[in-house]
Every structure is written in structure tokens, then in C-alpha cells.
Short mmCIF file of all heavy atoms in Angstrom, two decimals:
data_model
loop_
_atom_site.label_atom_id
_atom_site.label_comp_id
_atom_site.label_asym_id
_atom_site.label_seq_id
_atom_site.Cartn_x
_atom_site.Cartn_y
_atom_site.Cartn_z
N ILE F 4 -10.70 -0.47 -3.94
CA ILE F 4 -10.10 0.79 -4.37
C ILE F 4 -11.19 1.84 -4.47
O ILE F 4 -12.22 1.63 -5.13
CB ILE F 4 -9.39 0.64 -5.73
CG1 ILE F 4 -8.29 -0.43 -5.65
CG2 ILE F 4 -8.78 1.98 -6.16
CD1 ILE F 4 -7.61 -0.70 -6.98
N ARG F 5 -10.98 2.97 -3.84
CA ARG F 5 -12.02 4.00 -3.87
C ARG F 5 -12.13 4.60 -5.26
O ARG F 5 -11.16 4.62 -6.04
CB ARG F 5 -11.72 5.10 -2.85
CG ARG F 5 -10.57 6.01 -3.23
CD ARG F 5 -10.54 7.27 -2.38
NE ARG F 5 -9.43 8.15 -2.77
CZ ARG F 5 -9.50 9.05 -3.75
NH1 ARG F 5 -10.63 9.18 -4.45
NH2 ARG F 5 -8.46 9.80 -4.05
N ASP F 6 -13.30 5.10 -5.60
CA ASP F 6 -13.47 5.82 -6.85
C ASP F 6 -12.55 7.05 -6.84
O ASP F 6 -12.45 7.76 -5.85
CB ASP F 6 -14.92 6.28 -7.02
CG ASP F 6 -15.87 5.13 -7.28
OD1 ASP F 6 -15.39 3.97 -7.38
OD2 ASP F 6 -17.09 5.36 -7.38
N GLY F 7 -11.86 7.26 -7.96
CA GLY F 7 -10.89 8.34 -8.02
C GLY F 7 -9.50 7.95 -7.55
O GLY F 7 -8.62 8.81 -7.45
N GLY F 8 -9.29 6.67 -7.29
CA GLY F 8 -8.00 6.20 -6.81
C GLY F 8 -6.96 6.07 -7.92
O GLY F 8 -7.21 6.45 -9.07
N GLN F 9 -5.80 5.53 -7.57
CA GLN F 9 -4.68 5.43 -8.51
C GLN F 9 -4.08 4.03 -8.51
O GLN F 9 -4.00 3.39 -7.46
CB GLN F 9 -3.56 6.43 -8.17
CG GLN F 9 -3.95 7.89 -8.24
CD GLN F 9 -4.42 8.43 -6.91
OE1 GLN F 9 -4.36 7.74 -5.90
NE2 GLN F 9 -4.91 9.66 -6.90
N ILE F 10 -3.67 3.59 -9.69
CA ILE F 10 -2.89 2.36 -9.83
C ILE F 10 -1.59 2.73 -10.53
O ILE F 10 -1.59 3.44 -11.52
CB ILE F 10 -3.65 1.31 -10.66
CG1 ILE F 10 -4.94 0.89 -9.95
CG2 ILE F 10 -2.76 0.08 -10.93
CD1 ILE F 10 -5.87 0.05 -10.82
N VAL F 11 -0.48 2.26 -9.98
CA VAL F 11 0.83 2.45 -10.61
C VAL F 11 1.47 1.08 -10.80
O VAL F 11 1.66 0.34 -9.83
CB VAL F 11 1.75 3.35 -9.78
CG1 VAL F 11 3.11 3.49 -10.47
CG2 VAL F 11 1.13 4.73 -9.56
N ASN F 12 1.78 0.74 -12.04
CA ASN F 12 2.44 -0.52 -12.36
C ASN F 12 3.91 -0.23 -12.66
O ASN F 12 4.22 0.62 -13.49
CB ASN F 12 1.78 -1.18 -13.57
CG ASN F 12 0.35 -1.58 -13.29
OD1 ASN F 12 0.05 -2.10 -12.22
ND2 ASN F 12 -0.53 -1.37 -14.24
N VAL F 13 4.80 -0.94 -11.99
CA VAL F 13 6.23 -0.74 -12.19
C VAL F 13 6.70 -1.66 -13.32
O VAL F 13 6.61 -2.88 -13.22
CB VAL F 13 7.02 -1.00 -10.91
CG1 VAL F 13 8.52 -0.81 -11.16
CG2 VAL F 13 6.55 -0.06 -9.79
N THR F 14 7.18 -1.05 -14.41
CA THR F 14 7.61 -1.82 -15.57
C THR F 14 9.13 -1.73 -15.70
O THR F 14 9.84 -1.90 -14.72
CB THR F 14 6.87 -1.36 -16.84
OG1 THR F 14 7.13 0.04 -17.08
CG2 THR F 14 5.37 -1.57 -16.67
N SER F 15 9.66 -1.44 -16.88
CA SER F 15 11.12 -1.42 -17.04
C SER F 15 11.50 -0.75 -18.34
O SER F 15 10.81 -0.90 -19.36
CB SER F 15 11.66 -2.86 -17.03
OG SER F 15 13.02 -2.89 -17.40
N ALA F 16 12.64 -0.06 -18.32
CA ALA F 16 13.17 0.54 -19.54
C ALA F 16 13.61 -0.51 -20.54
O ALA F 16 13.82 -0.20 -21.72
CB ALA F 16 14.34 1.47 -19.21
N THR F 17 13.75 -1.77 -20.12
CA THR F 17 14.10 -2.83 -21.06
C THR F 17 12.98 -3.12 -22.06
O THR F 17 13.22 -3.81 -23.04
CB THR F 17 14.45 -4.14 -20.32
OG1 THR F 17 13.34 -4.56 -19.52
CG2 THR F 17 15.68 -3.96 -19.44
N THR F 18 11.80 -2.58 -21.85
CA THR F 18 10.74 -2.72 -22.85
C THR F 18 11.01 -1.82 -24.06
O THR F 18 10.48 -2.06 -25.14
CB THR F 18 9.36 -2.37 -22.28
OG1 THR F 18 9.33 -0.99 -21.91
CG2 THR F 18 9.05 -3.21 -21.05
N ARG F 19 11.83 -0.78 -23.87
CA ARG F 19 12.18 0.13 -24.96
C ARG F 19 13.57 -0.15 -25.51
O ARG F 19 13.77 -0.20 -26.73
CB ARG F 19 12.13 1.59 -24.46
CG ARG F 19 12.62 2.62 -25.49
CD ARG F 19 12.71 4.01 -24.89
NE ARG F 19 13.62 4.12 -23.77
CZ ARG F 19 14.94 4.23 -23.90
NH1 ARG F 19 15.53 4.23 -25.09
NH2 ARG F 19 15.71 4.34 -22.81
N ALA F 20 14.53 -0.33 -24.63
CA ALA F 20 15.92 -0.55 -25.03
C ALA F 20 16.26 -2.02 -24.83
O ALA F 20 16.45 -2.47 -23.69
CB ALA F 20 16.85 0.33 -24.21
N ALA F 21 16.29 -2.78 -25.92
CA ALA F 21 16.51 -4.22 -25.82
C ALA F 21 17.88 -4.52 -25.22
O ALA F 21 18.90 -3.99 -25.66
CB ALA F 21 16.38 -4.87 -27.19
N THR F 22 17.88 -5.39 -24.21
CA THR F 22 19.10 -5.80 -23.53
C THR F 22 19.18 -7.31 -23.57
O THR F 22 18.31 -8.00 -23.01
CB THR F 22 19.08 -5.31 -22.06
OG1 THR F 22 18.90 -3.90 -22.03
CG2 THR F 22 20.37 -5.67 -21.36
N ALA F 23 20.18 -7.84 -24.24
CA ALA F 23 20.30 -9.29 -24.37
C ALA F 23 20.33 -9.97 -23.00
O ALA F 23 21.01 -9.52 -22.08
CB ALA F 23 21.56 -9.64 -25.14
N GLY F 24 19.56 -11.05 -22.88
CA GLY F 24 19.56 -11.82 -21.65
C GLY F 24 18.36 -11.62 -20.76
O GLY F 24 18.21 -12.33 -19.76
N VAL F 25 17.50 -10.66 -21.09
CA VAL F 25 16.34 -10.40 -20.23
C VAL F 25 15.03 -10.45 -21.02
O VAL F 25 14.06 -9.79 -20.66
CB VAL F 25 16.47 -9.05 -19.48
CG1 VAL F 25 17.65 -9.08 -18.54
CG2 VAL F 25 16.59 -7.89 -20.45
N ALA F 26 14.98 -11.24 -22.06
CA ALA F 26 13.82 -11.24 -22.96
C ALA F 26 12.49 -11.56 -22.26
O ALA F 26 11.51 -10.83 -22.43
CB ALA F 26 14.05 -12.20 -24.13
N PRO F 27 12.39 -12.64 -21.47
CA PRO F 27 11.10 -12.91 -20.82
C PRO F 27 10.67 -11.79 -19.87
O PRO F 27 9.52 -11.35 -19.88
CB PRO F 27 11.33 -14.22 -20.08
CG PRO F 27 12.50 -14.84 -20.75
CD PRO F 27 13.37 -13.70 -21.18
N TYR F 28 11.62 -11.33 -19.05
CA TYR F 28 11.34 -10.23 -18.12
C TYR F 28 10.81 -9.01 -18.87
O TYR F 28 9.77 -8.44 -18.53
CB TYR F 28 12.62 -9.90 -17.37
CG TYR F 28 12.57 -8.66 -16.50
CD1 TYR F 28 12.09 -8.73 -15.19
CD2 TYR F 28 13.03 -7.43 -16.97
CE1 TYR F 28 12.05 -7.59 -14.39
CE2 TYR F 28 13.01 -6.30 -16.18
CZ TYR F 28 12.51 -6.38 -14.89
OH TYR F 28 12.48 -5.26 -14.11
N ALA F 29 11.52 -8.61 -19.92
CA ALA F 29 11.13 -7.42 -20.68
C ALA F 29 9.79 -7.62 -21.38
O ALA F 29 8.97 -6.71 -21.45
CB ALA F 29 12.22 -7.07 -21.69
N ALA F 30 9.58 -8.82 -21.91
CA ALA F 30 8.32 -9.10 -22.60
C ALA F 30 7.13 -8.97 -21.66
O ALA F 30 6.08 -8.40 -22.04
CB ALA F 30 8.36 -10.49 -23.22
N PHE F 31 7.26 -9.48 -20.45
CA PHE F 31 6.14 -9.41 -19.52
C PHE F 31 5.97 -8.00 -18.96
O PHE F 31 4.84 -7.58 -18.69
CB PHE F 31 6.32 -10.44 -18.41
CG PHE F 31 6.40 -11.85 -18.93
CD1 PHE F 31 7.33 -12.74 -18.44
CD2 PHE F 31 5.56 -12.27 -19.95
CE1 PHE F 31 7.42 -14.02 -18.93
CE2 PHE F 31 5.64 -13.56 -20.46
CZ PHE F 31 6.57 -14.44 -19.95
N LYS F 32 7.07 -7.27 -18.79
CA LYS F 32 6.94 -5.86 -18.41
C LYS F 32 6.27 -5.07 -19.53
O LYS F 32 5.48 -4.15 -19.27
CB LYS F 32 8.32 -5.27 -18.09
CG LYS F 32 8.93 -5.76 -16.79
CD LYS F 32 8.11 -5.36 -15.58
CE LYS F 32 8.89 -5.56 -14.29
NZ LYS F 32 8.08 -5.18 -13.09
N GLY F 33 6.57 -5.42 -20.79
CA GLY F 33 5.87 -4.79 -21.90
C GLY F 33 4.38 -5.09 -21.87
O GLY F 33 3.55 -4.22 -22.14
N GLY F 34 4.04 -6.33 -21.55
CA GLY F 34 2.63 -6.67 -21.39
C GLY F 34 1.96 -5.88 -20.29
O GLY F 34 0.80 -5.48 -20.41
N LEU F 35 2.70 -5.62 -19.20
CA LEU F 35 2.15 -4.83 -18.10
C LEU F 35 1.92 -3.38 -18.52
O LEU F 35 0.96 -2.75 -18.07
CB LEU F 35 3.10 -4.90 -16.90
CG LEU F 35 2.62 -4.27 -15.60
CD1 LEU F 35 1.30 -4.87 -15.14
CD2 LEU F 35 3.69 -4.45 -14.51
N GLU F 36 2.79 -2.86 -19.40
CA GLU F 36 2.55 -1.51 -19.93
C GLU F 36 1.23 -1.47 -20.72
O GLU F 36 0.45 -0.52 -20.58
CB GLU F 36 3.71 -1.08 -20.82
CG GLU F 36 4.96 -0.68 -20.06
CD GLU F 36 6.02 -0.08 -20.96
OE1 GLU F 36 5.75 0.06 -22.18
OE2 GLU F 36 7.10 0.25 -20.46
N VAL F 37 1.01 -2.46 -21.56
CA VAL F 37 -0.25 -2.52 -22.33
C VAL F 37 -1.43 -2.66 -21.37
O VAL F 37 -2.46 -1.98 -21.52
CB VAL F 37 -0.21 -3.68 -23.34
CG1 VAL F 37 -1.57 -3.84 -24.02
CG2 VAL F 37 0.88 -3.45 -24.38
N LEU F 38 -1.30 -3.54 -20.39
CA LEU F 38 -2.36 -3.74 -19.41
C LEU F 38 -2.69 -2.44 -18.68
O LEU F 38 -3.86 -2.17 -18.37
CB LEU F 38 -1.94 -4.81 -18.40
CG LEU F 38 -2.94 -5.13 -17.27
CD1 LEU F 38 -4.27 -5.61 -17.83
CD2 LEU F 38 -2.34 -6.16 -16.32
N THR F 39 -1.69 -1.62 -18.42
CA THR F 39 -1.90 -0.34 -17.76
C THR F 39 -2.89 0.52 -18.53
O THR F 39 -3.80 1.13 -17.95
CB THR F 39 -0.57 0.41 -17.60
OG1 THR F 39 0.33 -0.37 -16.80
CG2 THR F 39 -0.77 1.77 -16.93
N ARG F 40 -2.73 0.58 -19.85
CA ARG F 40 -3.65 1.39 -20.66
C ARG F 40 -5.06 0.82 -20.62
O ARG F 40 -6.05 1.57 -20.60
CB ARG F 40 -3.13 1.48 -22.10
CG ARG F 40 -1.82 2.25 -22.22
CD ARG F 40 -1.50 2.63 -23.65
NE ARG F 40 -1.21 1.48 -24.48
CZ ARG F 40 0.00 0.93 -24.60
NH1 ARG F 40 1.01 1.41 -23.89
NH2 ARG F 40 0.20 -0.10 -25.40
N TYR F 41 -5.17 -0.49 -20.61
CA TYR F 41 -6.50 -1.10 -20.54
C TYR F 41 -7.14 -0.88 -19.17
O TYR F 41 -8.36 -0.70 -19.07
CB TYR F 41 -6.40 -2.60 -20.87
CG TYR F 41 -6.45 -2.84 -22.36
CD1 TYR F 41 -5.30 -2.73 -23.14
CD2 TYR F 41 -7.64 -3.13 -23.01
CE1 TYR F 41 -5.34 -2.92 -24.50
CE2 TYR F 41 -7.70 -3.32 -24.37
CZ TYR F 41 -6.54 -3.22 -25.12
OH TYR F 41 -6.60 -3.39 -26.48
N MET F 42 -6.33 -0.88 -18.12
CA MET F 42 -6.87 -0.54 -16.80
C MET F 42 -7.43 0.87 -16.81
O MET F 42 -8.54 1.13 -16.30
CB MET F 42 -5.78 -0.67 -15.74
CG MET F 42 -5.39 -2.08 -15.39
SD MET F 42 -4.06 -2.08 -14.13
CE MET F 42 -3.90 -3.84 -13.81
N ALA F 43 -6.67 1.81 -17.39
CA ALA F 43 -7.13 3.19 -17.44
C ALA F 43 -8.44 3.29 -18.21
O ALA F 43 -9.35 4.03 -17.83
CB ALA F 43 -6.06 4.08 -18.08
N LYS F 44 -8.53 2.54 -19.30
CA LYS F 44 -9.74 2.56 -20.13
C LYS F 44 -10.93 1.98 -19.39
O LYS F 44 -12.01 2.58 -19.33
CB LYS F 44 -9.48 1.77 -21.41
CG LYS F 44 -10.63 1.75 -22.40
CD LYS F 44 -10.75 3.08 -23.11
CE LYS F 44 -11.72 2.99 -24.28
NZ LYS F 44 -11.85 4.29 -24.97
N GLU F 45 -10.76 0.80 -18.81
CA GLU F 45 -11.90 0.09 -18.22
C GLU F 45 -12.30 0.62 -16.85
O GLU F 45 -13.46 0.50 -16.45
CB GLU F 45 -11.58 -1.41 -18.13
CG GLU F 45 -11.44 -2.05 -19.51
CD GLU F 45 -11.43 -3.57 -19.45
OE1 GLU F 45 -11.81 -4.14 -18.40
OE2 GLU F 45 -11.06 -4.19 -20.47
N PHE F 46 -11.34 1.22 -16.12
CA PHE F 46 -11.66 1.74 -14.79
C PHE F 46 -11.99 3.23 -14.82
O PHE F 46 -12.26 3.84 -13.79
CB PHE F 46 -10.51 1.51 -13.81
CG PHE F 46 -10.06 0.07 -13.71
CD1 PHE F 46 -8.79 -0.24 -13.26
CD2 PHE F 46 -10.90 -0.97 -14.07
CE1 PHE F 46 -8.36 -1.56 -13.15
CE2 PHE F 46 -10.49 -2.30 -13.98
CZ PHE F 46 -9.22 -2.60 -13.53
#
């Protein structure tokens, strides 16, 4: 990835609005949202 590049992680609105039946999916998408901030920090 070139310096000054971009990363976009596709997550889900289910991380904000709980929807019964998709708990693992939403939990891991929530983890990806947190990871996104750490990517921004470390890169």
C-alpha cells in the first residue's frame, strides 16, 4: 500500500441496532470497526 493510501472496512449497521439472530456476525463487524480505528492510529 502506498504512503497516503486508503483502507475501507465494510462493517454493518447491526453493530448499532441489535437484530436478533445475527449476534456473531454483528460482534465481529463491531470488532472490525474497532480495528479500523487502530489501523488509522498505527498507519
Side-chain angles (χ1 to χ4, degrees):
I4 301 176
R5 72 166 181 86
D6 290 357
Q9 298 93 5
I10 297 169
V11 178
N12 295 318
V13 179
T14 59
S15 170
T17 59
T18 65
R19 174 187 60 80
T22 303
V25 296
Y28 172 86
F31 300 137
K32 289 296 194 181
L35 187 57
E36 285 188 2
V37 173
L38 179 59
T39 299
R40 294 194 293 274
Y41 275 83
M42 287 179 176
K44 182 74 169 180
E45 294 192 15
F46 305 158

